[in-house]
Every structure is written in structure tokens, then in C-alpha cells.
Amino acid sequence: MKVLYLTWGETPRSYGIYKSQVIEQFVETSRQIENSKFYFIAGLPIVHSGLLREKYKYYSNEVKNIRAIFLENNIDFSIVPIFCTQNFINSTKVTFRFMHTISSMILKSKVKLINPDVIHCRSYHACFAALTLKSKFGYHYKIVFDGRGLWPEEVALKKGWDINNNNYLYLKEIEKMLLKNSDVSISVSDTMFSHYERLGAKKVENIYLSTNFDLISKEKEQVLTGKIKKNTITLLYLGALSNSTWHTSSSLLKLYRHLKSQLGNLKLLIVTTSNHESIRSYFGELSNSEIEITSTKTTLELSDVLSRADLGCLPYRDNKNAFENLIGNTLLGTKTVEFLAARLPVLCNRNCGGAAKIIEKGRLGIVYDPDSMLELSQNSIIDILDNGISTDDLIMLKRDFDYIDNAKKIESIYLKLCSNY
């Protein structure tokens, strides 16, 4: 079996989300399947974030690192240039074609040479490229559409469109085409699964985001047991943070203020690659002993930071329109998986629907109303801290979120597709 993994428009990175959810998962999947050959193609705009931030050192450093990871695992890696700037990922009816026209011909030559049995497409643009080639040139490969999120709504939100905007409707037609014609579409949450089915997907398989459970999971002592109390509770936020990201500084500060009123001694630990000075300025009311801002690049570094926390949080944002409601309802960020792997109970804004469903179902934290926060009382927080996440919980979570377990699920999809599934 020959499997080609295709990204289109993202900047490949040897760290962060691209490494954890793309590179490491594909490497682990390749290890599960014997007598097969694996290929990875990254469609990269000629003007992209790596080039703007690091200039040509991006190619000598980042691309070199990525190539080394794949080479070590016998995966063939190559780049297809996309002749536009990276902001065209968020396409209109006019700019959409610039993401594909010339680059598709370069992709065609590589696909013809590889002759894959399966193309695993991360993102809407990647799937569109693979489906267009298949339709135009009569290829017989199977297509796995791995959209990761609701792209039409994300673009509409960024550009300020409403539901009747012609550009938004154009992207919705593309989405419908991808779901209808892909052999399998992968959802990353239960709510996203239901959404794809409602849109008419041919077949949907639910595979949550992944992390390395064996590396991140550590035995955590109980925070509160009977009369024994910890002096200070540490609340952890992980990921991008500003007032324009999916989880906003304002929502996090509001949550922190409420928790402090309930618990007294509280510390905020923020792990992010966002601008630390801007964050520190926004949280200026917190003393230096109350807040720590750091960043990590490796899973081992992240594991050490996670082990110092008592609670994880998903503060999200104040929804203002239907797009934010829909995206939030299907949202399941990597941070959710990493919190749970580290045995951290999670405080989750109920508008994070994908995460909220998992947390409520497994009683793995508290889902709260961001307006009232009535669910976050001193007693309820002490209760989840005292009970924690058990070893039995961890075993069940590992089946859903661990790299190896998810690799086996992906392997099953590939094998079924190659057996005319």
C-alpha cells in the first residue's frame, strides 16, 4: 500500500501543532502498517510565515529538521510551491484559484510518479487539490478528508461575512463537494461528527486529536484530601492567547478573577508562543508571584510544565454571532487532550462543545456557563481536585487520544479503503 499525506497552505514546522498533530501522528501511523510506502507532500505558498519571520533560515533550519524526521522513518518528503501569499488560504471566490492553478500541475507530476493508493488530505484546500486531480485525470486513489475544523465559518468570521455573503456560500459549496466525494471524512469531536453527517458526508469516522500519553501522563498527588490543603492552586492555560484568538485574554482573566474569589490563593500559569509582554501587560493586576508565562517546544518540556499545574482551563471567548457558535460547538483543541493526559481536571466554557461533551461524559472537570460561572463554586472545584482523574479514566482516555491508538484507527481506515471499503 502507498499512502500520501498532503498539506496545502500551512507552514511546515518541526514543533507546535504541525509537529504534534501532523508529523508525529503520520510517523506513528507509518510504523503500524507493514509492507507499505509512505510519502508526505507540503503545498507551501511562496510567501509564508516562515519566510517572513526567519527569512531563508527557515529552509536551512526548519525544512532540514522536518526532512530529517521523515528520513529517519523512511518517509519521502517534498514541497510543492503555491504561487501566492499565505493569506490566500482564507479564500474568496476570486482568490481561491490562486491556491491551486499552477501548483496542481506540479502536484500532478508527483502524484503520477508515486501512484498512491490513499491520499490523506489535511485541510479543505488539500482535499480540493486531490479531488480535482482525481476527477480530471481519472486517478483511482482513495481520499481521506481531514478538515480539522469548519473552514468556511472560520474564513467568514475572519473576514466579517454574514451567512448570505456570496463568498461564504461559495466556500460552503466547496465543503459540500468535498464531503460528498471523499471516501472518508475524519471528524475530531463528537459534535463535528454530527455536523459533517448533517452536511451529507459520504462516510465519517471520528478520530480525536492525539498526544503522547506515556510521556505526558504522570502520577499526580491529590490536591485536597480531607483536612490536608495545598497552599496555592495552579490554573494552567495552554496555547495561543490574545483578544483575537479562539481563547481570549479577557475570558481567561474573567475566569481567573472568579476562581480567585472562590479559592483564595491561586496562581495562573500560561504556556504560549504568543507575545509574552502583551499578555503580561493585559494581566497587569496580577502580581509577579501570581502569574508565570512560559513556552515549550518539546513534549518533554510540556510534560514538565503540565506536572506543575492542578487545573486546566478552556475559557474560549464571548460569542457574538452564529459562526462563533457553530465553530465553538465543534471545537476540540489539542490542549484539551494534553490536559487530560496530564491528569488535570478541566474547567471548560460550555461553548467549547466538542471538549464539553467529553468532559461531561467522563466527569473529567466542570463545564460552566461563562456568563454566570455558578457551576464554579468552591465546593465543586474542591470536589474535582480531590477526586482527580483516576487510573481507570486514564486508560479509557488513552484509547481515544494516544498516538499509537489513533494510528491503529487510521490504519484501519486505510486498509478498508484499499479493500474497496
Side-chain angles (χ1 to χ4, degrees):
M1 177 170 56
K2 294 181 180 179
V3 177
L4 167 60
Y5 196 108
L6 181 66
T7 68
W8 203 263
E10 291 181 89
T11 302
R13 290 285 182 186
S14 62
Y15 59 88
I17 295 298
Y18 198 96
K19 182 182 182 184
S20 68
Q21 300 308 307
V22 181
I23 295 174
E24 291 184 338
Q25 184 62 76
F26 189 56
V27 166
E28 190 57 56
T29 301
S30 72
R31 291 172 179 164
Q32 299 298 316
I33 308 175
E34 298 179 353
N35 303 316
S36 297
K37 181 62 180 171
F38 295 85
Y39 305 83
F40 193 106
I41 295 177
L44 181 61
I46 57 174
V47 180
H48 56 85
S49 61
L51 186 63
L52 295 176
R53 293 177 196 166
E54 300 149 72
K55 311 301 180 185
Y56 287 100
K57 286 185 178 180
Y58 168 79
Y59 296 99
S60 58
N61 294 335
E62 277 306 294
V63 173
K64 181 181 178 181
N65 292 340
I66 294 166
R67 199 178 299 279
I69 294 170
F70 283 134
L71 183 62
E72 183 182 351
N73 291 278
N74 298 312
I75 297 172
D76 185 85
F77 171 70
S78 63
I79 290 175
V80 168
I82 302 174
F83 296 92
C84 64
T85 59
Q86 196 164 38
N87 62 312
F88 282 10
I89 292 174
N90 300 319
S91 303
T92 65
K93 290 177 69 174
V94 173
T95 62
F96 186 91
R97 61 189 177 90
F98 292 107
M99 286 289 293
H100 296 277
T101 307
I102 302 173
S103 305
S104 291
M105 293 299 98
I106 301 173
L107 177 64
K108 174 182 176 285
S109 64
K110 291 181 178 290
V111 167
K112 185 177 180 180
L113 186 64
I114 294 169
N115 190 26
D117 298 296
V118 176
I119 299 185
H120 188 137
C121 305
R122 176 183 163 89
S123 81
Y124 285 65
H125 275 297
C127 190
F128 181 86
L131 276 172
T132 300
L133 285 186
K134 183 177 181 179
S135 174
K136 191 172 181 178
F137 298 103
Y139 292 126
H140 298 290
Y141 51 74
K142 302 295 185 178
I143 292 179
V144 176
F145 171 40
D146 198 350
R148 316 306 292 178
L150 307 186
W151 179 63
E153 284 73 27
E154 290 173 5
V155 177
L157 189 58
K158 289 175 182 177
K159 292 186 175 293
W161 299 337
D162 61 33
I163 58 173
N164 297 313
N165 184 280
N166 287 333
N167 291 297
Y168 172 65
L169 296 175
Y170 174 77
L171 299 186
K172 290 299 287 184
E173 285 301 310
I174 289 176
E175 179 183 55
K176 182 178 178 181
M177 184 271 289
L178 302 183
L179 291 167
K180 180 180 178 181
N181 292 287
S182 297
D183 297 283
V184 172
S185 297
I186 292 178
S187 60
V188 298
S189 69
D190 300 319
T191 45
M192 187 176 177
F193 178 95
S194 300
H195 180 70
Y196 273 179
E197 284 201 321
R198 285 194 297 270
L199 292 176
K202 182 188 293 186
K203 183 165 186 64
V204 187
E205 296 281 359
N206 199 36
I207 300 178
Y208 299 118
L209 305 178
S210 304
T211 194
N212 188 327
F213 261 66
D214 291 336
L215 193 56
I216 287 183
S217 180
K218 295 181 178 180
E219 288 292 330
K220 294 184 70 66
E221 63 183 62
Q222 286 183 312
V223 178
L224 297 167
T225 306
K227 296 180 181 180
I228 301 174
K229 295 189 176 183
K230 191 173 180 180
N231 289 332
T232 302
I233 303 302
T234 299
L235 176 71
L236 172 63
Y237 174 78
L238 173 62
L241 185 66
S242 72
N243 273 335
S244 60
T245 49
W246 292 116
H247 298 268
T248 62
S249 301
S250 57
S251 293
L252 178 57
L253 181 57
K254 180 181 178 182
L255 174 63
Y256 181 84
R257 286 169 175 163
H258 176 82
L259 294 178
K260 188 172 178 63
S261 73
Q262 297 296 310
L263 299 172
N265 292 335
L266 187 66
K267 179 177 179 178
L268 179 60
L269 174 56
I270 299 174
V271 182
T272 184
T273 56
S274 299
N275 186 285
H276 287 195
E277 289 306 313
S278 296
I279 295 171
R280 192 172 295 279
S281 175
Y282 193 87
F283 288 83
E285 66 188 67
L286 277 62
S287 67
N288 288 335
S289 62
E290 274 187 277
I291 185 170
E292 178 185 351
I293 306 173
T294 188
S295 57
T296 62
K297 278 199 170 185
T298 69
T299 306
L300 187 59
E301 289 176 358
L302 176 62
S303 175
D304 289 339
V305 173
L306 288 166
S307 69
R308 295 196 279 117
D310 303 303
L311 291 166
C313 67
L314 301 171
Y316 196 48
R317 60 198 290 161
D318 293 327
N319 286 349
K320 296 180 175 62
N321 56 49
F323 294 138
E324 289 183 338
N325 288 333
L326 183 56
I327 293 169
N329 185 53
T330 59
L331 194 67
L332 180 64
T334 309
K335 59 176 69 67
T336 309
V337 179
E338 291 165 338
F339 288 152
L340 295 175
R343 306 181 80 155
L344 295 178
V346 181
L347 308 182
C348 178
N349 183 327
R350 69 178 181 185
N351 292 320
C352 293
K357 190 163 186 177
I358 290 169
I359 291 163
E360 284 185 321
K361 184 168 60 176
R363 298 181 181 179
L364 303 169
I366 301 173
V367 175
Y368 65 90
D369 182 332
D371 295 323
S372 67
M373 297 194 183
L374 292 176
E375 298 85 355
L376 300 176
S377 66
Q378 183 184 60
N379 287 339
S380 67
I381 297 167
I382 289 175
D383 185 56
I384 63 162
L385 287 169
D386 193 30
N387 291 321
I389 294 177
S390 70
T391 301
D392 288 342
D393 289 333
L394 201 67
I395 292 170
M396 295 181 66
L397 289 167
K398 187 173 182 180
R399 292 172 189 160
D400 284 335
F401 302 119
D402 185 62
Y403 280 122
I404 295 176
D405 290 83
N406 281 346
K408 292 175 181 176
K409 295 167 193 170
I410 296 169
E411 174 196 16
S412 177
I413 291 174
Y414 293 167
L415 293 175
K416 287 177 182 178
L417 287 176
C418 291
S419 300
N420 295 318
Y421 165 56

